[in-house]
Amino acid sequence: MSRKDFDPTTVVPDGRELSKARLFDGTADGPHRGSVDGEVLGTRVTVLTYGNDEPGVGPPLHVHPYDEVFVVQQGRARFFVGDKVIDAEAGDTVLGPAGLPHRFVNLGPGRLQTLDIHLSPRWIQTNLE
């Protein structure tokens, strides 16, 4: 598919250098395998990875002062965002709007793996459970 959404000659580089950071160690245990703050990469987006193999298990109810986007990479999850509930599976993307308490659980069977994109240069969170 060919795309031309903008004129490349209109974009001026902002002077940032190429950067790299390790998101996770594949040999590490636990559901939160790692995160990279946007500050490390010189951007306004922080990335986390989360995964578990236990149906019914997930992060505690929490809230952020910014939007969070969840990308379900493997498995199935049930998201609780504010007073809404939505099921998602591998390939789905879910928005957790700023200020709305949210959590999710693995619906099983098997592994749930998500990539969580925080629209903030730092991971800022308050757990409510």
Side-chain angles (χ1 to χ4, degrees), residues 2 4 6 9 11 13 23 29 31 33 36-37 44-46 65 72 82 99 109 114 119 121 123:
S2 178
K4 186 171 181 177
F6 69 98
T9 64
V11 178
L23 177 59
D29 289 331
R33 296 232 172 128
V36 174
D37 282 342
R44 293 181 294 258
V45 175
T46 295
V72 181
T114 66
L119 302 182
W123 180 9

Side-chain angles (χ1 to χ4, degrees), residues 3-126:
R3 293 184 64 159
K4 186 171 181 177
D5 297 331
F6 69 98
D7 178 356
T9 64
T10 64
V11 178
V12 178
D14 64 10
R16 288 180 293 161
E17 296 291 326
L18 172 68
S19 59
K20 174 185 169 183
R22 187 155 183 85
L23 177 59
F24 67 92
D25 174 356
T27 64
D29 289 331
H32 285 98
R33 296 232 172 128
S35 65
V36 174
D37 282 342
E39 295 168 330
V40 172
L41 297 175
T43 186
R44 293 181 294 258
V45 175
T46 295
V47 181
L48 285 77
T49 183
Y50 176 90
N52 79 58
D53 298 303
E54 295 181 58
V57 173
L61 185 68
H62 61 277
V63 66
H64 309 283
Y66 49 76
D67 290 345
E68 181 176 10
V69 176
F70 304 93
V71 180
V72 181
Q73 296 181 302
Q74 181 180 348
R76 299 180 325 124
R78 177 160 293 148
F79 288 84
F80 304 86
V81 181
D83 61 356
K84 307 287 186 205
V85 177
I86 190 168
D87 290 349
E89 62 185 28
D92 289 339
T93 304
V94 175
L95 171 66
L100 278 182
H102 57 273
R103 68 184 181 90
F104 60 91
V105 296
N106 182 347
L107 283 179
R111 183 162 190 79
L112 169 65
Q113 188 67 52
T114 66
L115 188 69
D116 307 337
I117 303 164
H118 293 235
L119 302 182
S120 168
R122 289 184 304 116
W123 180 9
I124 303 168
Q125 176 171 309
T126 296

